[in-house]
Amino acid sequence: MEDKKKVIFSGIQPSGDLTLGNYLGAIKNWIKLQDQYDCFFCVVDLHAITVKQVPADLRRRTLEVLAIYIASGIDCDKNTLFIQSHVPAHSEASWLLTCSTYMGELSRMTQFKDKSQKMGDSISAGLLNYPTLMAADILLYNTNLVPVGKDQKQHLELARDLAQRFNNAYSPTFVVPEPYIADTGAKIMDLQEPTKKMSKSSDNPNSFILIMDSPEVIRKKISRAVTDSIGVVNYTNDQPGVKNLIDIICAIKGCAPEDVVKSYQGKGYADFKKDVAEIIIEELTPVQAKVKELLGNKNYLEDIYKKGAEKASYVALKTLRKMQKKIGLIPR
Ligand code: TYM
């Protein structure tokens, strides 16, 4: 008998237009892994509302994120693609896990500290509880592997702790998931402040490349990317801007930083940046065309997310029922 495939779960928030960081840190790895695993790829709309969203924008982006998954090469027949809020088990499991998550664990999260600092007094409890919802996402599917960028590592550690805590408090219930963080592309940096992560929530559009940016915009943003006065293409921490551009090439092309450095010996930043822009454009142009085509066919997308929610609900509900029973809730 064929061995049962191991399970992957991952997701992206439709809280802003997706960036090259989301593409290289997450989606591109999902594509590589999709044949070997049973994959659940989710558009995590409930996570997006932990910060205020304009309803029409949230709806548009939710569909666009789904279209980007498919356009990038995620096979929607082999994998389960769905929208988080369509599977209510996520919210329910999240509450059950919230009751065994410690305040200290949540308030210590780097991302919570960063985001809440910008919000003054009106920090929503959702922002604090966000990692517990993420743990619910992952644990409901008996997930073995979670392919994410580096910034999600701490959240994943909490998911592992909560799984172990529940298993110890009751009896073995959850698989303890492992992170999958690739060697290249796991942390694409801000183009204007290359010591910071590239983020879709940044206020400065020159700091990120969007998956849907036009070739002209990509050329402009890369030409304005902050480098340094050293003037030599090298892969070192002293040149974080250049290092980041090399990382982008490597994550797209699957090559090693040394090879990139070698091929730019004796050349300046202008030539280098021109090539970086063209490599990004070549990668994103076919994705953009497919996204536009898919967004023109809403019925097709609806079919995919409805089927996805059905398949996901089946697995998620089984786990949720187990959790409820073990905790002592009376079966309905
Ligand atoms: P989100 O929406 O912030 O980012 C989605 C994915 O993109 C990765 N990423 C990056 N990778 C490299 N360089 C960057 N600059 C960069 N920016 C973002 C993230 O690491 C992530 O993999 N909480 C998650 C969403 C989530 C989730 C989950 C992920 C909810 N439930 C369950 C995995 C499993 C988040 O906010 O990702």
Side-chain angles (χ1 to χ4, degrees):
M1 208 176 74
E2 201 189 320
D3 278 346
K4 206 165 165 268
K5 280 184 178 172
K6 290 198 165 173
V7 176
I8 275 186
F9 184 99
S10 201
I12 300 183
Q13 295 188 63
S15 53
D17 294 329
L18 299 203
T19 69
L20 188 63
N22 299 128
Y23 180 77
L24 296 177
I27 300 175
K28 214 164 155 69
N29 295 316
W30 302 355
I31 294 160
K32 278 187 218 146
L33 297 166
Q34 64 178 336
D35 290 331
Q36 299 144 255
Y37 290 83
D38 184 10
C39 301
F40 293 84
F41 296 122
C42 185
V43 184
V44 291
D45 55 350
L46 297 175
H47 276 98
I49 60 167
T50 55
V51 295
K52 202 163 170 25
Q53 299 292 328
V54 175
D57 290 347
L58 180 61
R59 272 191 289 272
R60 173 185 69 75
R61 283 203 218 99
T62 300
L63 284 187
E64 188 173 283
V65 173
L66 182 71
I68 288 175
Y69 289 179
I70 301 164
S72 305
I74 302 287
D75 184 333
C76 48
D77 294 323
K78 287 196 202 137
N79 304 292
T80 308
L81 305 186
F82 69 106
I83 298 169
Q84 188 185 30
S85 62
H86 291 183
V87 181
H90 289 243
S91 310
E92 295 181 61
S94 174
W95 176 253
L96 301 183
L97 292 174
T98 297
C99 295
S100 59
T101 309
Y102 308 130
M103 287 292 287
E105 288 175 311
L106 296 173
S107 59
R108 273 197 299 275
M109 290 283 162
T110 316
Q111 215 170 72
F112 171 72
K113 285 198 275 188
D114 288 350
K115 285 196 181 171
S116 57
Q117 244 169 23
K118 294 181 200 148
M119 291 187 166
D121 284 339
S122 39
I123 303 161
S124 79
L127 197 64
L128 180 73
N129 283 323
Y130 168 122
T132 311
L133 176 60
M134 177 162 161
D137 297 343
I138 296 167
L139 301 181
L140 280 173
Y141 297 90
N142 309 310
T143 302
N144 302 98
L145 202 65
V146 185
V148 281
K150 240 187 217 154
D151 62 321
Q152 294 300 319
K153 193 160 184 268
Q154 200 184 24
H155 292 159
L156 215 79
E157 273 156 19
L158 179 74
R160 289 171 56 83
D161 289 346
L162 291 181
Q164 276 158 344
R165 191 171 302 157
F166 194 98
N167 290 349
N168 291 337
Y170 303 101
S171 58
T173 310
F174 296 126
V175 173
V176 180
E178 298 287 337
Y180 176 97
I181 297 170
D183 295 334
T184 48
K187 195 169 184 188
I188 301 298
M189 308 307 267
D190 182 299
L191 298 177
Q192 293 301 312
E193 286 179 69
T195 48
K196 256 179 43 187
K197 175 191 86 160
M198 180 184 285
S199 166
K200 52 173 132 63
S201 54
S202 166
D203 296 329
N204 179 357
N206 281 325
S207 68
F208 51 68
I209 303 273
L210 297 178
I211 295 180
M212 298 305 286
D213 270 345
S214 69
E216 302 76 68
V217 171
I218 294 175
R219 285 188 193 106
K220 203 171 68 193
K221 288 182 178 175
I222 294 293
S223 77
R224 289 184 184 166
V226 167
T227 49
D228 51 69
S229 56
I230 298 174
V232 179
V233 177
N234 250 331
Y235 192 75
T236 91
N237 290 335
D238 301 333
Q239 293 171 258
V242 174
K243 185 169 185 246
N244 186 38
L245 297 179
I246 296 177
D247 276 332
I248 291 175
I249 298 184
C250 294
I252 293 178
K253 294 270 181 205
C255 56
E258 306 83 72
D259 300 332
V260 180
V261 169
K262 243 189 237 153
S263 61
Y264 287 95
Q265 267 176 6
K267 291 188 192 163
Y269 290 162
D271 285 339
F272 172 59
K273 281 181 163 183
K274 253 188 217 143
D275 291 352
V276 175
E278 295 314 312
I279 288 168
I280 298 171
I281 292 166
E282 198 190 348
E283 177 80 7
L284 295 183
T285 302
V287 176
Q288 295 173 353
K290 188 89 208 258
V291 169
K292 286 178 192 152
E293 186 191 318
L294 287 165
L295 289 175
N297 192 350
K298 297 262 164 40
N299 290 342
Y300 176 73
L301 290 177
E302 188 179 327
D303 198 43
I304 289 171
Y305 68 66
K306 282 197 166 157
K307 276 196 193 123
E310 220 172 282
K311 270 169 72 186
S313 291
Y314 179 78
V315 182
L317 260 181
K318 268 213 237 176
T319 312
L320 178 68
R321 295 291 176 247
K322 267 196 224 165
M323 293 171 75
Q324 291 167 328
K325 196 168 159 205
K326 292 190 189 199
I327 288 173
L329 307 180
I330 292 182
R332 55 184 100 165

